Amino acid sequence: MTNTAPGRSALWTITTADVTTPEALDLLREYYYDVANRYYRLHFDREGTPEELESGLADSPSDDLAAPDGLFLIGYHDGVAHSCAGLRRIDATTAELTRVFVRPGLRGTGGGAVLLAAVDRAARSLGAERIVLDTRLDLIEARTLYLRNGYREIPAYSSGPYAEIWYGKDLTVGARQGG
């Protein structure tokens, strides 16, 4: 018997979006609350207070994830916004990936891989030949997603309190091989 049902990842579509829309801002808030609360639980054995979370969110603007040197992507699962990612150009051939988020209830449905494939295309549209990112060691799901999608650990290119490991992906390899 052949399974003709669409794959789980087929329910995902990705579009470029204005980072200032309410839909984008809601996803960015969920992203920030998710990673911040994980940090608070790991280091302080508690959730962040609403004041701490809102203050941190205000100190982490995403307005550079817009043209001409950046962009913001929203992933829709079955027509509803459930994921996001941002890119910013950091030099003529390098884009930085940031704000990667898939709502917890939909992790494992293929949305992360579909999102990162769209990130690759978007980075190329910005003229990037490589994508870099930094993340925290405790964000295991994200780190696994990156490694499964062609990212490799690289030397530090940035610093900051939450930059604990760095990854990069060469976008020219697939292009040379026809992929």
Side-chain angles (χ1 to χ4, degrees):
M1 181 172 166
T2 304
N3 181 357
T4 57
R8 293 179 302 171
S9 63
L11 297 174
W12 284 96
T13 56
I14 312 297
T15 61
T16 304
D18 180 336
V19 73
T20 65
T21 64
E23 193 171 56
L25 295 172
D26 285 347
L27 283 165
L28 287 166
R29 174 170 273 105
E30 284 186 61
Y31 156 81
Y32 186 82
Y33 273 47
D34 183 53
V35 297
N37 272 324
R38 290 169 79 154
Y39 185 85
Y40 278 103
R41 286 190 296 270
L42 180 65
H43 294 282
F44 304 109
D45 201 30
R46 66 174 176 86
E47 298 279 309
T49 67
E51 296 79 16
E52 289 169 326
L53 295 170
E54 284 301 314
S55 175
L57 181 62
D59 290 341
S60 300
S62 298
D63 53 338
D64 61 342
L65 305 178
D69 291 319
L71 57 84
F72 190 72
L73 300 169
I74 294 180
Y76 296 86
H77 182 268
D78 206 17
V80 179
H82 284 292
S83 69
C84 64
L87 282 170
R88 62 174 69 96
R89 188 183 350 239
I90 59 175
D91 66 34
T93 60
T94 308
E96 181 178 42
L97 178 58
T98 187
R99 312 294 196 261
V100 177
F101 177 71
V102 177
R103 286 188 170 138
L106 288 169
R107 292 177 185 162
T109 64
V114 173
L115 183 61
L116 289 184
V119 163
D120 289 358
R121 291 187 298 275
R124 286 184 183 103
S125 78
L126 292 173
E129 296 176 5
R130 126 183 141 120
I131 302 173
V132 297
L133 66 95
D134 63 53
T135 192
R136 296 193 330 241
L137 291 170
D138 66 301
L139 299 177
I140 302 298
E141 304 97 321
R143 292 176 52 212
T144 301
L145 176 68
Y146 301 137
L147 290 172
R148 285 183 180 160
N149 287 276
Y151 288 80
R152 297 294 169 253
E153 193 171 341
I154 61 171
Y157 70 90
S158 63
S159 62
Y162 310 113
E164 297 175 327
I165 190 167
W166 297 260
Y167 293 101
K169 182 175 185 179
D170 182 352
L171 297 174
T172 64
V173 173
R176 282 195 306 262
Q177 296 172 349

